[in-house]
């Protein structure tokens, strides 16, 4: 299933210590991506303090603001509102620490955000066409730079 493959790929990038990865979801009805597309996205970044920062679009970056239901869903998922964590946090943001940065859990959160908040589904093109629904094409932006997570965690959690 496509959803499981995307989740596994996200988890691998997290586990491998990529500094940041963004997944944009482009809606395409019958294979045609809307012009001036401002797609929903999720992204993660490893912070210097070895916390995992997970984000989705802030309201100001969307074509239309989130509706009340989407905001409640984001709140329940643990996302802070734009700028609630400080000036540098212009998107909806979650900071995960320790076990919260476990790759499979973080990847599941990102998939759930795309599905539950943004309405992205993970049907392949053939199934989307068969059912007459939009196909969501994913664009991956993977920073090739990596952090040595084992060393970073060891340094952070070693008592002097």
């Amino acid at each position: 299933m496509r959803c499981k493959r995307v989740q596994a790929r996200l988890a691998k990038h997290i586990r491998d210590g990529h500094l940041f990865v963004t997944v944009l979801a482009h809606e395409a009805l019958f294979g045609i991506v809307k012009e001036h597309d401002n797609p929903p996205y999720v992204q993660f970044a490893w912070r210097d303090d070895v916390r995992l920062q997970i984000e989705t679009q802030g309201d100001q970056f969307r074509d239309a603001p989130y509706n009340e239901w989407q905001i409640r869903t984001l709140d329940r998922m643990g996302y802070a509102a734009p700028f609630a964590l400080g000036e540098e946090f212009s998107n909806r943001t979650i900071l995960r620490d320790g076990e919260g940065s476990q790759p499979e859990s973080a990847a599941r959160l990102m998939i759930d955000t795309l599905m539950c908040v943004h309405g992205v589904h993970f049907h392949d093109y053939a199934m989307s066409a068969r059912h007459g629904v939009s196909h969501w094409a994913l664009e991956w932006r993977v920073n090739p730079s990596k952090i040595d997570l084992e060393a970073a965690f060891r340094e952070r959690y070693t008592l002097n």
Side-chain angles (χ1 to χ4, degrees), residues 8-64:
R9 183 174 175 186
L10 270 168
K12 181 175 180 355
H13 288 315
I14 293 167
R15 188 179 305 102
D16 288 349
H18 285 273
L19 290 181
F20 63 87
V21 172
T22 303
V23 180
L24 297 99
H26 299 277
E27 185 175 15
L29 188 57
F30 303 112
I32 301 170
V33 175
K34 296 177 186 176
E35 194 159 326
H36 305 296
D37 194 20
N38 182 21
Y41 62 87
V42 290
Q43 59 189 14
F44 76 81
W46 282 106
R47 297 179 57 82
D48 291 341
D49 60 3
V50 202
R51 288 187 295 170
L52 187 62
Q53 180 174 328
I54 299 172
E55 298 181 340
T56 193
Q57 283 172 303
D59 299 72
Q60 70 277 20
F61 300 118
R62 294 173 46 85
D63 292 336

Side-chain angles (χ1 to χ4, degrees), residues 40 42 47 54 85 87 109 122 125 134 143 152 154:
V42 290
R47 297 179 57 82
I54 299 172
L85 299 175
E87 286 297 313
L109 170 70
F122 291 88
Y125 179 78
S134 298
N143 182 305
R154 190 177 304 116

Side-chain angles (χ1 to χ4, degrees), residues 3-4 6-8 10-11 14 23 41-45 52-57 72-80 92-97 99-120 122:
C3 182
K4 293 293 183 192
V6 172
Q7 182 178 336
L10 270 168
I14 293 167
V23 180
Y41 62 87
V42 290
Q43 59 189 14
F44 76 81
L52 187 62
Q53 180 174 328
I54 299 172
E55 298 181 340
T56 193
Q57 283 172 303
R72 281 195 308 273
T73 302
L74 287 162
D75 290 346
R76 279 193 306 272
M77 294 175 99
Y79 284 93
R92 296 277 174 165
T93 305
I94 295 177
L95 295 174
R96 285 187 156 197
D97 201 1
E99 290 180 6
S101 60
Q102 193 272 341
E104 284 72 21
S105 171
R108 180 75 244 169
L109 170 70
M110 295 171 76
I111 294 295
D112 288 348
T113 301
L114 286 173
M115 290 184 349
C116 298
V117 175
H118 298 290
V120 174
F122 291 88

